Amino acid sequence: MYIVEMGILELKQTLNGHRGRVWNVCWHPNGTCLASCGEDKTIIIWGQQDPKWVVKTILTEGHTRTIREIAWSPCGNYIASASFDSTTAVWDNKSGQFECNATLEGHENEVKSVSWSCSGQLLATCSRDKSVWIWEVNDDEYECAAVINAHTQDVKKVRWHPNEEVVASTSYDNTVKIFKEDPGDNDWSCIATLSSHTSTVWSLAWNKEGNQIATCSDDQTVKIWQEYKPDNEPGIVTPNNESVWKCVCTITGYHTRTIYDIDWCKTTGLLVTACGDDIIRIFKEDSDSDPHQLSFTMVCSMDTAHTQDVNCVQWHPTIPGQLASASDDGSVKIWFYNE
Amino acid sequence: MGDTLENINPKLYKKINEREITVEDEDEDIVDEFDTREIFDLIRNINDPEHPLSLIEIDNKANKVCVKFTPTIPHCSMATLIGLSIRVQLLRVLPPRFKVSVEITPGTHMLEAAVNKQLADKERVAAALENNHLLEVINQCIGIKC
């Protein structure tokens, strides 16, 4: 008999400020503030005024349609925002307040996601036009370095590796793809396709080391993928001298609707999911988990975490256990998970 | 809508009788949960195929409404638009706590899986509803004929 120790997810604060659905939240890299965005076409920056979180700034007029996602640069001085208006805006606070000083155009329709590489020198965007774009950042100039047409459908999410220039994307075509630049010809190409989900893959999260990826899907499962480098110990064949990614765990039977987002805590290793059944769930890797066949146990399930779909969850970058969520119910919530 | 009719000889269904209002319906003290007839009445007047709706499931406790509609012909190009109109109408009139799913009745359309997947993707539905032209067409479909 395996006894599961359930933890408690404690609500710290509900942040109301958006009108309508909130699509995304993103912590500043040092954790001092939080950005959120949604269908009201605004970005709200929340800061802490002890003990409460309050609105610090509202950024408007950068986009003409829904803002789907925002991302802080690793240095914390820039915010990139992806919008249904088919552009990505980059905001900086050089003047002392955030201003939109660059608009990246090129996608044919809705931009769904944006992500900065660990160096802050590269930006990736993806769109319903099925493409992933890589942008090079040079002194506030953004140049398109690659347009990658590897997916066959709407691309939902892009996320850079935590410490290498490797980017992963998820799509409505049910796959996850990994891209890397070929140093020979500077061409970006797909180096791996992760197939196993049976419906739209909505989001992904890298682990701290970058050798595992967690993905979540409309098929109501979470999958964990393990990287096997050339000459790996278990002897998994790696054609073309490229890493092979294998699904080493499927978390099934917990979620009752689409899983819209997942985040992997870099400090605690806990996984958190955002689901269309309004529930936030937390999973922990079992202590006796086999590295080639991982097992996870649900350690927390917060019913009615929101009154509508949960769209986004993100762990705080430095405070273990703290997390933020965003929902169709128009609110952003700050939580603390106690083991 | 196109200039020529895609289905020149649609199957016509007998129009269902108007709902009879009972004494209980007018009593403000009685908790009156949504029922299938009520959901049907909310979408029965959506224009184009006369009565495409064959199955409605509602679970008030779980806040779920599932509508299965039957396109008039298996290659009906309007299936996505009809499904979207049903979804939009229910999103507008039902309390936001309801999870609305709209699907094609199994086995009645050639692109059933693709249409269902698109109708279930709330991000694509949200983007579609920000398209003014499409929104106009949907509003026309939903607009109740007087």
Side-chain angles (χ1 to χ4, degrees):
Chain A
M1 172 95 191
Y2 195 80
I3 295 168
V4 180
E5 299 227 1
M6 294 293 271
I8 293 163
L9 192 60
E10 190 187 343
L11 177 64
K12 289 292 184 190
Q13 199 185 331
T14 301
L15 312 182
N16 293 306
H18 284 286
R19 277 168 291 109
R21 169 185 280 159
V22 188
W23 274 114
N24 192 245
V25 284
C26 187
W27 293 102
H28 185 278
N30 69 15
T32 51
C33 52
L34 179 74
S36 60
C37 65
E39 71 172 328
D40 64 5
K41 311 176 188 78
T42 70
I43 299 168
I44 299 184
I45 300 174
W46 310 83
Q48 211 165 3
Q49 215 167 61
D50 274 335
K52 289 287 173 196
W53 288 83
V54 295
V55 174
K56 288 285 183 191
T57 314
I58 301 178
L59 308 180
T60 56
E61 287 167 17
H63 292 289
T64 56
R65 290 181 56 187
T66 282
I67 303 178
R68 177 65 182 87
E69 193 170 281
I70 61 256
W72 290 94
S73 62
C75 66
N77 294 326
Y78 299 85
I79 297 173
S81 55
S83 168
F84 283 0
D85 69 10
S86 77
T87 71
T88 305
V90 183
W91 309 72
D92 68 65
N93 63 354
K94 289 207 170 80
S95 67
Q97 55 187 354
F98 275 96
E99 282 175 21
C100 174
N101 283 326
T103 302
L104 316 186
E105 293 175 356
H107 280 296
E108 281 170 34
N109 32 43
E110 296 94 273
V111 185
K112 300 291 180 76
S113 177
V114 59
S115 177
W116 297 84
S117 69
C118 56
S119 65
Q121 294 304 298
L122 294 169
L123 203 61
T125 56
C126 65
S127 160
R128 190 164 71 89
D129 68 12
K130 307 172 190 175
S131 67
V132 172
W133 289 45
I134 310 289
W135 307 80
E136 277 173 11
V137 185
N138 285 309
D139 295 328
D140 291 335
E141 295 290 321
Y142 298 81
E143 199 179 328
C144 176
V147 175
I148 313 167
N149 290 301
H151 283 290
T152 58
Q153 292 286 345
D154 187 358
V155 190
K156 296 296 195 184
K157 199 70 81 179
V158 278
R159 287 288 179 265
W160 288 94
H161 187 286
N163 37 51
E164 290 172 30
E165 291 192 337
V166 169
V167 67
S169 61
T170 70
S171 166
Y172 189 88
D173 69 12
N174 308 353
T175 70
V176 182
K177 287 182 182 281
I178 301 175
F179 309 102
K180 199 173 82 170
E181 188 179 18
D182 181 339
D185 57 8
N186 290 3
D187 253 1
W188 285 78
S189 57
C190 175
I191 54 164
T193 298
L194 285 52
S195 302
S196 179
H197 280 296
T198 57
S199 190
T200 303
V201 191
W202 278 91
S203 188
L204 82 139
W206 294 83
N207 71 340
K208 189 183 169 192
E209 292 77 22
N211 60 356
Q212 291 174 338
I213 294 175
T215 55
C216 63
S217 165
D218 178 53
D219 68 14
Q220 306 177 7
T221 70
V222 166
K223 288 181 187 283
I224 314 288
W225 309 78
Q226 170 80 45
E227 178 182 22
Y228 290 96
K229 293 194 162 144
D231 301 321
N232 60 80
E233 205 183 310
I236 291 178
V237 183
T238 53
N240 311 325
N241 227 26
E242 288 287 1
S243 291
V244 164
W245 291 79
K246 286 198 174 294
C247 177
V248 290
C249 175
T250 299
I251 302 175
T252 182
Y254 293 101
H255 300 86
T256 67
R257 297 186 77 84
T258 306
I259 312 166
Y260 290 110
D261 198 20
I262 187 160
D263 195 29
W264 206 328
C265 183
K266 303 290 186 280
T267 51
T268 62
L270 293 169
L271 283 174
V272 62
T273 60
C275 188
D277 61 13
D278 312 347
I279 298 175
I280 293 176
R281 294 174 178 85
I282 296 173
F283 297 86
K284 187 180 184 178
E285 188 179 344
D286 297 340
S287 53
D288 59 353
S289 181
D290 173 348
H292 306 296
Q293 199 177 331
L294 299 183
S295 57
F296 279 77
T297 300
M298 186 170 74
V299 291
C300 183
S301 173
M302 188 68 200
D303 282 4
T304 334
H306 284 274
T307 58
Q308 292 182 53
D309 294 5
V310 190
N311 292 324
C312 176
V313 279
Q314 196 179 76
W315 292 105
H316 189 279
T318 56
I319 303 172
Q322 187 160 314
L323 68 95
S325 61
S327 165
D328 278 357
D329 69 13
S331 72
V332 169
K333 290 186 178 183
I334 312 258
W335 306 85
F336 195 82
Y337 174 69
N338 288 298
E339 268 194 291
Chain B
M1 328 260 150
D3 293 334
T4 53
L5 289 172
E6 204 168 77
N7 182 4
I8 52 163
N9 188 21
K11 191 172 170 186
L12 293 176
Y13 295 84
K14 185 175 175 290
K15 206 161 184 170
I16 195 166
N17 292 333
E18 289 296 317
R19 186 190 181 107
E20 279 180 41
I21 293 166
T22 61
V23 183
E24 283 79 16
D25 286 342
E26 289 177 337
D27 186 339
E28 296 290 334
D29 293 328
I30 292 176
V31 177
D32 182 18
E33 296 204 313
F34 288 94
D35 57 27
T36 53
R37 175 62 206 259
E38 211 160 348
I39 304 294
F40 179 79
D41 283 344
L42 291 169
I43 50 183
R44 63 184 292 204
N45 288 316
I46 292 176
N47 297 339
D48 200 47
E50 282 62 39
H51 286 288
L53 316 159
S54 56
L55 192 63
I56 297 170
E57 286 168 50
I58 178 159
D59 183 339
N60 279 280
K61 279 208 183 68
N63 293 325
K64 281 183 194 162
V65 177
C66 181
V67 177
K68 290 203 166 64
F69 70 102
T70 308
T72 48
I73 40 172
H75 52 270
C76 175
S77 62
M78 307 293 278
T80 311
L81 180 63
I82 294 159
L84 200 53
S85 301
I86 295 172
R87 208 175 151 167
V88 170
Q89 169 71 350
L90 292 179
L91 287 176
R92 286 180 182 164
V93 297
L94 290 178
R97 62 189 162 90
F98 277 101
K99 308 281 185 193
V100 175
S101 56
V102 176
E103 294 167 7
I104 290 178
T105 310
T108 63
H109 196 274
M110 280 148 61
L111 300 172
E112 179 188 323
V115 174
N116 286 347
K117 189 172 184 180
Q118 204 166 343
L119 290 173
D121 185 322
K122 68 168 184 178
E123 186 183 61
R124 289 168 70 127
V125 170
L129 299 184
E130 286 185 3
N131 176 329
N132 284 334
H133 171 68
L134 187 58
L135 193 60
E136 215 170 283
V137 175
I138 291 169
N139 283 338
Q140 271 170 16
C141 288
I142 293 174
I144 293 161
K145 284 181 199 157
C146 297

